[in-house]
Amino acid sequence: MNADLLSRAKSLGFSDRQIAHLTGRTEDAVRAERKSLGLVPSYRLVDTCAAEFEAYTPYYYSTYDRGDDEVTATATRKVMILGGGPNRIGQGIEFDYCCVHAAFALKEDGFETLMVNSNPETVSTDYDTSDKLFFEPLTLEDVLHIYEREKCWGAIAQFGGQTPLNLALGLQKNGVNIIGTSPQSIEIAEDRKLFAAMLHRLNIPQPPNGLAVNVEEALAAAHQLTYPVLVRPSFVLGGRAMQIVYSDAELTHYMKFAVEASPERPVLVDKFLEDATEVDVDCLTDVGQFADPTEGTIVIGGMLEHIEFAGVHSGDAAMVLPPHTLSPQVIQTIRDYTHAMARELRVVGLMNVQYAVKGDVVYVLEVNPRASRTVPFVSKAIGVPLAKLAAKVMAGKTLKELGFTAEIWPKYWAVKESVFPFNKFHGQDIILSPEMRSTGEVMGLDADLGIAYAKAQMAANSPLPLSGKVFLSVGDLHKSGAAALGKQFADLGFELVATGGTATVLEKAGLKVQRVFKLNEGARPNPVDLLKNKEIQLVINTPSGATPRADEIKIRTTAVMTGTPIMTTLSGARAAAMGIAALQKRGYTVKTVQEYH
């Protein structure tokens, strides 16, 4: 390696990390050598006016080609906001909302805002959102260049999701002032051993769990915990490669093909709590600003109870705010645990906690000391811009100064429903899992929970039918709940349609059922025929086991293609029955969000 070669490599787009890998050095060593040679990028303006007029919009990109640096220097205190990077399924555009609100809030407080994001198709990268915009990859090298070039006062890593969070520690080691929750606290929440030790200190239960770096360790952990177990890599994005496994064979396949485990990035093996209710909590706090751990304010923005049982990614689950089935005692326990963890982690800004409630026991699944994908929904539901307030808290204000010190418990119901792209992926099974697959979300508001749920379904493009035929096909695990569900729909005036096993269960309960053939029986009519002929208005189809049968997948994909509303969990089907009952009884009216507030 010499100065000329390094200069050529940088102008051709090689990153310090790639050069380090190719030359057997560390990234830090390459960076130090490059800086000692005065090799730093210059920033050019994107000509947004195609040379017809002078361009004033400060869109910058970096280059190692020799030439003028077009960044204008200013004396204002600068805060850099790290965006979420490319929008992938599982990334959550909700983080972009948080970045935009942070830029607006800090501008209000007199800061110059710098947005760093590689994705032009977001609101945070609109020309009028921040004072300066840098179209750069979210890597340690690129972020450090901008921070040093602009002489920033601080950087926010809390609002872009997992991508900037993974950079926080490296940035801090290189002299970046990460404002808000410290990278050390983020590390405690992300590192399973440190996290378990913290919960043990606070006497807060978590599901029994273990760590594994190879197949043998994973099998040993699963045998100790007993199946089913939830397996996932550490530091993941949108629940990627997260799976519920039911056997040694499935676990072995997962460890060999789904993930690359290493001592630095072990696979987490958690006991999966079947039929537990999951709860998401978003809170805002300034406790980390105070030396005294008992000082500061913690306010829970919202508690969201999942309609689906635990095991569905929080970005995919339908949720209700405030909780609709939890006891006051469980709600208070959740509040106490949230406050204790916020104080222990010295959080400044937002924190998200995911709980599983089984019986009266509240388990902590995970804690994220950052903005979560439910922040925009909660903000709109309670009428308080949580991300804006969080940005101001991170820049030094207290919640008392901002006038937000009391929890808001709405007197109406807000239901979040996810929107999925399944109609674009023909043949893809629509069963939800711990891996996030939604591409958006909608909200239903009403004083009646059933109508709020029905409104959310309308907005998600699967309006609930008020009459017609319901097709039921439930897996053996769920057969016990099929009769009560069938009776609910029969009482609402629906005709019941079912195949073999489910039909027998319904008939034993004294219900009238139209029997149809299973697909693999080869006779007609089968459920797919009825769906194509638009004879079925609602499908309730729960999976038969860990590996779905081909005929199940065909029924579910046909329902999506024909635009027939489909429920794949009993809890979702019960919510649908509640929504239909409410619509039949009183219909619905429409009010603006502002009227609710």
Side-chain angles (χ1 to χ4, degrees):
M1 177 57 71
N2 58 56
D4 283 346
L5 188 58
L6 189 56
S7 176
R8 274 188 63 208
K10 292 311 288 182
S11 66
L12 288 168
F14 283 82
S15 68
D16 288 352
R17 196 167 174 182
Q18 285 171 311
I19 293 167
H21 175 69
L22 293 167
T23 57
R25 306 173 189 207
T26 64
E27 187 179 351
D28 289 345
V30 173
R31 183 184 302 113
E33 185 177 343
R34 176 174 55 70
K35 287 172 88 170
S36 72
L37 296 168
L39 260 180
V40 290
S42 55
Y43 291 91
R44 305 279 175 81
L45 263 171
V46 174
D47 189 352
T48 49
C49 300
E52 291 183 33
F53 310 97
E54 191 176 345
Y56 293 107
T57 312
Y59 275 29
Y60 297 105
Y61 66 96
S62 64
T63 173
Y64 276 88
D65 291 345
R66 298 285 176 232
D68 295 336
D69 192 314
E70 296 175 338
V71 172
T72 49
T74 56
T76 321
R77 269 209 306 181
K78 299 178 181 70
V79 175
M80 173 196 279
I81 301 163
L82 302 179
N87 279 352
R88 299 171 284 243
I89 292 177
Q91 171 68 9
I93 193 69
E94 299 87 351
F95 295 121
D96 199 62
Y97 164 102
C98 295
C99 291
V100 171
H101 276 242
F104 291 163
L106 293 171
K107 264 192 203 177
E108 284 171 17
D109 282 5
F111 290 93
E112 185 176 316
T113 56
L114 277 59
M115 189 70 221
V116 182
N117 205 351
S118 55
N119 181 0
E121 290 299 320
T122 57
V123 184
S124 67
T125 49
D126 279 358
Y127 72 94
D128 56 354
T129 297
S130 54
D131 295 303
K132 286 178 184 165
L133 167 61
F134 291 83
F135 273 128
E136 295 291 287
L138 287 151
T139 66
L140 188 66
E141 176 184 347
D142 293 285
V143 172
L144 280 175
H145 282 320
I146 301 163
Y147 188 87
E148 289 163 3
R149 169 69 185 78
E150 285 284 337
K151 299 182 175 65
C152 294
W153 168 73
I156 292 179
Q158 236 187 59
F159 286 152
Q162 194 69 40
T163 308
L165 214 61
N166 288 350
L167 293 176
L169 212 55
L171 290 170
Q172 190 191 48
K173 281 176 185 164
N174 283 279
V176 172
N177 173 27
I178 300 285
I179 64 172
T181 307
S182 74
Q184 285 70 24
S185 290
I186 292 167
E187 193 76 3
I188 291 170
E190 295 274 353
D191 183 298
R192 282 290 118 174
K193 284 181 179 166
L194 297 174
F195 182 56
M198 179 192 84
L199 293 182
H200 183 69
R201 267 197 316 278
L202 297 173
N203 199 21
I204 295 174
Q206 69 176 139
N209 58 73
L211 291 170
V213 295
N214 54 41
V215 176
E216 293 70 31
E217 285 184 15
L219 289 169
H223 292 162
Q224 190 188 344
L225 299 170
T226 70
Y227 290 106
V229 294
L230 179 73
V231 282
R232 55 190 166 148
S234 36
F235 292 92
V236 290
L237 188 75
R240 189 151 296 130
M242 219 188 253
Q243 202 175 312
I244 299 163
V245 297
Y246 293 83
S247 66
D248 285 1
E250 277 182 58
L251 185 56
T252 304
H253 184 271
Y254 175 87
M255 292 298 292
K256 281 184 177 168
F257 301 106
V259 291
E260 280 182 49
S262 67
E264 296 81 45
R265 294 278 163 113
V267 166
L268 317 173
V269 186
D270 293 339
K271 173 66 184 161
F272 178 61
L273 303 171
E274 289 190 283
D275 296 343
T277 302
E278 204 164 326
V279 182
D280 256 75
V281 175
D282 285 309
C283 80
L284 180 56
T285 169
D286 58 15
V287 293
Q289 292 179 4
F290 299 89
D292 183 344
T294 61
E295 283 192 60
T297 310
I298 301 167
V299 184
I300 288 179
M303 280 188 204
L304 299 122
E305 182 181 339
H306 292 212
I307 286 173
E308 286 87 4
F309 282 130
V312 172
H313 191 281
S314 61
D316 286 354
M319 300 183 190
V320 180
L321 181 152
H324 63 301
T325 68
L326 303 182
S327 67
Q329 172 200 339
V330 164
I331 287 170
Q332 191 53 49
T333 302
I334 288 173
R335 199 174 278 130
D336 294 343
Y337 287 175
T338 306
H339 282 238
M341 289 186 289
R343 288 202 183 278
E344 184 72 15
L345 289 167
R346 316 283 297 129
V347 175
V348 180
L350 289 162
M351 180 177 90
N352 169 263
V353 192
Q354 287 167 24
Y355 293 99
V357 179
K358 188 148 190 183
D360 286 333
V361 184
V362 178
Y363 296 94
V364 173
L365 299 179
E366 62 177 276
V367 174
N368 295 303
R370 58 162 167 82
S372 74
R373 54 175 50 81
T374 46
V375 164
F377 176 85
V378 171
S379 300
K380 290 179 167 85
I382 66 170
V384 176
L386 295 176
K388 259 188 172 178
L389 297 181
K392 292 187 178 196
V393 164
M394 289 158 84
K397 286 197 170 167
T398 65
L399 285 174
K400 278 183 181 162
E401 283 176 71
L402 295 168
F404 184 56
T405 55
E407 199 177 311
I408 294 172
W409 200 265
K411 291 184 170 61
Y412 46 85
W413 301 98
V415 175
K416 174 179 100 74
E417 184 54 280
S418 300
V419 177
F420 297 95
F422 294 128
N423 58 348
K424 303 283 192 295
F425 298 109
H426 194 73
Q428 172 75 31
D429 194 11
I430 67 166
I431 289 294
L432 301 180
S433 72
E435 191 163 10
M436 182 176 158
R437 298 159 89 180
S438 71
T439 49
E441 59 187 41
V442 295
M443 174 192 257
L445 292 174
D446 203 90
D448 181 296
L449 177 55
I451 290 173
Y453 181 79
K455 283 179 175 179
Q457 297 308 310
M458 288 176 209
N461 263 342
S462 60
L464 299 173
L466 295 182
S467 61
K469 291 183 178 179
V470 178
F471 171 72
L472 290 107
S473 171
V474 298
D476 293 340
L477 289 170
H478 314 112
K479 286 276 197 292
S480 56
L485 190 62
K487 186 173 184 329
Q488 266 185 293
F489 279 98
D491 291 347
L492 291 169
F494 283 83
E495 294 175 48
L496 306 181
V497 180
T499 52
T502 308
T504 304
V505 170
L506 296 172
E507 284 165 351
K508 273 185 185 166
L511 296 166
K512 190 181 168 196
V513 187
Q514 177 190 340
R515 277 181 176 261
V516 289
F517 295 101
K518 289 182 178 176
L519 268 71
N520 59 11
E521 288 171 355
R524 295 285 175 77
N526 62 42
V528 169
D529 296 332
L530 298 186
L531 280 166
K532 287 179 176 172
N533 295 339
K534 300 278 186 184
E535 289 178 48
I536 289 174
Q537 281 63 50
L538 179 67
V539 174
I540 296 164
N541 178 238
T542 69
S544 56
T547 46
R549 295 195 301 263
D551 54 352
E552 283 181 28
I553 296 173
K554 196 153 190 191
I555 291 167
R556 292 194 280 262
T557 53
T558 307
V560 170
M561 291 307 150
T562 55
T564 311
I566 174 165
M567 301 292 156
T568 58
T569 61
L570 290 188
S571 47
R574 283 192 282 270
M578 175 183 66
I580 292 166
L583 286 177
Q584 285 179 350
K585 199 170 174 184
R586 62 179 72 86
Y588 68 94
T589 54
V590 176
K591 269 166 49 172
T592 63
V593 175
Q594 288 81 354
E595 285 175 87
Y596 281 100
H597 299 156

